[in-house]
Amino acid sequence: QVQLVESGGGLVKAGGTLRLSCSASGTKLSSYSVGWFRLAPGKQRELVAIDGARGARQYDDSVKGRFTISRDSTKNTVYLQMNGLKPEDTAVYYCNAAASWSAVVAGRFDSWGQGTRVTVSS
């Protein structure tokens, strides 16, 4: 499994913006599909955005139009730009990668990183 490190979380007011980073070391992400997930208290981990290795992207309805996933192959990093943040976006955000789109969607990974915490105040 690809080793990834998430960063960029923080405390923001509703309507604010954050950019999360998901950086890989030792493995080129260009051939992987990468997903951003979030885990909020009392809820199950959910996939919020996925960037396919061939350029396809998909978003959960709850973040569509507000979040943008992108990747910089030169930095071996995938980003999640989050605009118009809402209190309900408060969660720990994780990224993970797999060779196939369907594997990311399934979310069945052997391990997860520490994630990065996003807190949105009202």
Side-chain angles (χ1 to χ4, degrees):
Q1 189 167 334
V2 181
Q3 299 301 311
L4 302 167
V5 176
E6 305 93 344
S7 63
L11 171 62
V12 296
K13 293 183 178 179
T17 66
L18 283 172
R19 189 178 77 159
L20 307 184
S21 299
C22 170
S23 299
S25 58
T27 304
K28 288 193 178 295
L29 283 179
S30 56
S31 59
Y32 288 83
S33 291
V34 179
W36 276 102
F37 300 78
R38 65 187 178 188
L39 181 61
K43 296 186 177 181
Q44 291 189 333
R45 197 187 322 255
E46 63 177 347
L47 175 65
V48 297
I50 179 171
D51 186 47
R54 298 177 182 178
R57 292 170 180 164
Q58 190 169 305
Y59 300 90
D60 184 81
D61 286 344
S62 64
V63 306
K64 204 172 291 183
R66 299 188 297 121
F67 290 11
T68 303
I69 191 170
S70 63
R71 70 171 77 199
D72 184 337
S73 296
T74 65
K75 296 182 179 180
N76 211 24
T77 298
V78 174
Y79 301 100
L80 186 67
Q81 178 68 43
M82 305 189 297
N83 300 330
L85 282 161
K86 304 176 180 180
E88 51 263 44
D89 295 318
T90 295
V92 179
Y93 285 71
Y94 302 85
C95 62
N96 226 321
S100 72
W101 177 282
S102 58
V104 175
V105 172
R108 297 192 191 99
F109 296 96
D110 292 335
S111 63
W112 295 85
Q114 292 190 335
T116 186
R117 183 175 298 277
V118 172
T119 303
V120 185
S121 63
S122 57

